[in-house]
């Protein structure tokens, strides 16, 4: 079985998770890594590694297809927000190549990447989201009539990596943050992976203050809900969770089940959820593996094994779908040598 991890970047740990699962389950094959940066650390870990075009490049999909055809790839696991819409749009073509893709269908991707419509989307199945305003004038009116109050958060509707995110404490700061978000969208790949104009791709949202949780949910390829994982975020570094603790919270697990069953997506979704002392609010939804899964894996979960079993037609073990509660976990950095031999593969050589 050959598994392709796209936009693998710094995710050396994810590559190892899949390699270990293949070995432990006695399934022969390779974990193939692909990334636009020749010096991405994960390319040093992959059994085979490729330098590919950026996710926003017009040749991105063709490069992925070539790798799949050459190595008879069985499944694709995306690890970056920007590539998910393109992969989703081409799911049927990859299916014809015999490639299973753990990516939601395009309509689901469009829905979950539009942060401006979370209240409408999630409210349909009784999950809360903050008030959000797509038009600047609507946010001004909401402030005037007392629907929301400062502080407010300004960010892209389909954002990634905290690009263009800012907090406004008053009207002047809100205007500056809004203009800055538009400017940043124009200068990043976010401008290439959405059909919206930059001015239409910014939302102004009420800030929910309180405890923050990572809530992950996993469905099989047919969109059946299989598992959820909850981690309370204790410390952040450079936009990523640096320290957390696994928790068992029935209300959060119920939210994950509602989302998994109603979205009916294929694959992994990770979300950010805030608790204001009374209610839980879904702030962000990412239709791919988040780096925080590594914490749940360390706490006993094994979604890579579940994915391999699903592709191979084997039984998915229950203990792969749960994590031990009350595990406090923290990240650490590792250094890898960029070996010329490991970075030699370029998709254009196929």
């Amino acid at each position: 079985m050959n598994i392709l991890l796209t936009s693998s970047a710094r995710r050396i740990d994810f590559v190892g998770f899949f390699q270990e699962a293949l070995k432990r389950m006695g399934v022969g094959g390779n974990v193939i890594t692909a990334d636009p940066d020749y010096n991405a650390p994960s390319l040093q870990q992959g059994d085979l590694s490729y330098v590919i075009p950026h996710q926003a490049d017009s040749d991105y999909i063709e490069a992925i297809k070539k790798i799949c055809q050459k190595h008879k790839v069985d499944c694709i696991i995306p690890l970056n927000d920007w590539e998910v819409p393109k992969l989703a749009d081409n799911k049927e073509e990859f299916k014809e190549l015999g490639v299973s893709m753990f990516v939601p269908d395009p309509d689901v991707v469009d829905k979950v990447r539009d942060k401006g419509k979370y209240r409408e989307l999630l409210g349909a199945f009784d999950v809360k989201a903050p008030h959000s305003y797509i038009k600047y004038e609507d946010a001004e009116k909401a402030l005037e009539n007392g629907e929301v109050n400062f502080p407010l958060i300004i960010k892209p509707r389909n954002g990634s990596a905290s690009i263009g995110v800012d907090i406004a404490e008053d009207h002047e700061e809100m205007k500056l943050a809004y203009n800055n978000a538009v400017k940043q969208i124009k200068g990043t790949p976010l401008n290439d992976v959405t059909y919206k104009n930059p001015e239409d791709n910014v939302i102004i949202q009420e800030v929910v203050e309180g405890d923050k949780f990572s809530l992950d949910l996993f469905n099989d390829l047919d969109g059946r809900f299989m598992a959820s994982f909850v981690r309370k975020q204790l410390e952040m570094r450079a936009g990523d969770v640096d320290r957390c603790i696994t928790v068992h919270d029935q209300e959060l697990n119920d939210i994950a089940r509602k989302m998994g069953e109603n979205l009916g997506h294929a694959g992994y979704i990770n979300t950010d959820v805030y608790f204001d002392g009374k209610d839980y609010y879904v702030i962000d939804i990412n239709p791919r593996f988040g780096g925080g899964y590594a914490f749940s894996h360390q706490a006993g979960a094994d979604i890579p094994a579940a994915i391999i079993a699903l592709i191979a037609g084997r039984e998915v073990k229950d203990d792969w779908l749960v994590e031990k509660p009350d595990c406090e976990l923290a990240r650490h950095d590792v250094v890898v040598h960029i070996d010329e031999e490991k970075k030699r593969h370029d998709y254009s050589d196929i």
Side-chain angles (χ1 to χ4, degrees), residues 65-291:
K65 285 181 181 177
K66 284 185 175 182
I67 295 170
C68 289
Q69 290 171 321
K70 178 176 177 62
H71 297 290
K72 297 182 179 179
V73 168
D74 294 282
C75 74
I76 292 176
I77 313 293
L79 300 176
N80 183 280
D81 294 329
W82 291 333
E83 65 187 338
V84 171
K86 284 191 174 182
L87 291 171
D89 287 341
N90 290 272
K91 279 182 76 171
E92 288 305 313
E93 292 183 46
F94 281 97
K95 187 176 181 180
E96 292 175 4
L97 296 176
V99 181
S100 296
M101 193 178 292
F102 283 85
V103 176
D105 289 340
D107 63 323
V108 177
V109 173
D110 289 343
K111 289 176 182 176
V112 301
R113 283 187 56 75
D114 191 344
K115 297 176 176 64
K117 295 184 178 180
Y118 280 1
R119 281 178 69 86
E120 176 184 348
L121 172 66
L122 302 176
F125 41 89
D126 198 31
V127 173
K128 295 182 183 297
H131 286 284
S132 299
Y133 307 95
I134 295 170
K135 294 182 178 180
Y136 187 89
E137 297 77 12
D138 291 342
E140 290 277 16
K141 290 178 182 177
L143 286 164
E144 289 175 9
N145 62 32
E147 184 176 83
V148 294
N149 298 293
F150 287 111
L152 296 175
I153 186 167
I154 295 85
K155 58 186 178 182
R157 290 170 68 177
N158 68 337
S160 177
S162 298
I163 294 171
V165 178
D166 205 350
I167 299 288
E169 298 286 351
D170 55 41
H171 290 275
E172 183 178 356
E173 289 185 1
M174 185 170 76
K175 188 64 175 178
L176 287 171
Y178 176 85
N179 290 334
N180 184 58
V182 171
K183 182 179 179 181
Q184 288 203 42
I185 289 169
K186 289 179 178 178
T188 69
L190 284 178
N191 202 37
D192 300 315
V193 295
T194 178
Y195 59 86
K196 305 176 185 69
N197 294 322
E199 291 78 6
D200 298 322
N201 195 25
V202 178
I203 61 168
I204 300 172
Q205 186 179 78
E206 70 172 322
V207 173
V208 180
E209 296 182 299
D211 291 334
K212 186 176 181 181
F213 296 86
S214 299
L215 176 62
D216 296 358
L217 46 147
F218 177 67
N219 283 5
D220 68 14
L221 286 167
D222 295 318
R224 291 187 291 261
F225 176 77
M226 297 194 74
S228 60
F229 308 112
V230 182
R231 302 176 299 274
K232 183 178 181 181
Q233 300 179 10
L234 301 178
E235 190 173 324
M236 302 287 291
R237 182 176 60 158
D240 287 330
V241 179
D242 200 45
R243 192 165 59 88
C244 69
I245 186 167
T246 59
V247 298
H248 177 76
D249 185 291
Q250 191 57 51
E251 189 171 353
L252 281 169
N253 283 312
D254 287 344
I255 289 172
R257 180 174 289 277
K258 288 178 184 178
M259 291 180 66
E261 291 178 348
N262 284 277
L263 293 175
H265 65 280
Y268 205 91
I269 281 180
N270 85 284
T271 76
D272 288 331
V273 182
Y274 277 89
F275 181 62
D276 68 355
K278 179 182 177 183
D279 296 307
Y280 290 99
Y281 292 83
V282 175
I283 306 296
D284 202 5
I285 306 173
N286 300 297
R288 44 80 180 162
F289 266 103

Side-chain angles (χ1 to χ4, degrees), residues 12-77:
I12 288 179
D13 48 0
F14 277 65
V15 183
F17 296 158
F18 280 93
Q19 290 171 329
E20 292 162 7
L22 284 172
K23 183 177 181 180
R24 188 170 60 254
M25 297 170 69
V27 177
N30 296 299
V31 177
I32 305 168
T33 52
D35 195 85
D37 294 327
Y38 79 89
N39 55 2
S42 61
L43 298 185
Q44 301 299 310
Q45 179 72 25
D47 298 313
L48 295 166
S49 301
Y50 283 92
V51 179
I52 58 172
H54 190 276
Q55 302 92 346
D57 194 289
S58 59
D59 292 331
Y60 169 78
I61 288 295
E62 186 59 31
I64 300 300
K65 285 181 181 177
K66 284 185 175 182
I67 295 170
C68 289
Q69 290 171 321
K70 178 176 177 62
H71 297 290
K72 297 182 179 179
V73 168
D74 294 282
C75 74
I76 292 176
I77 313 293

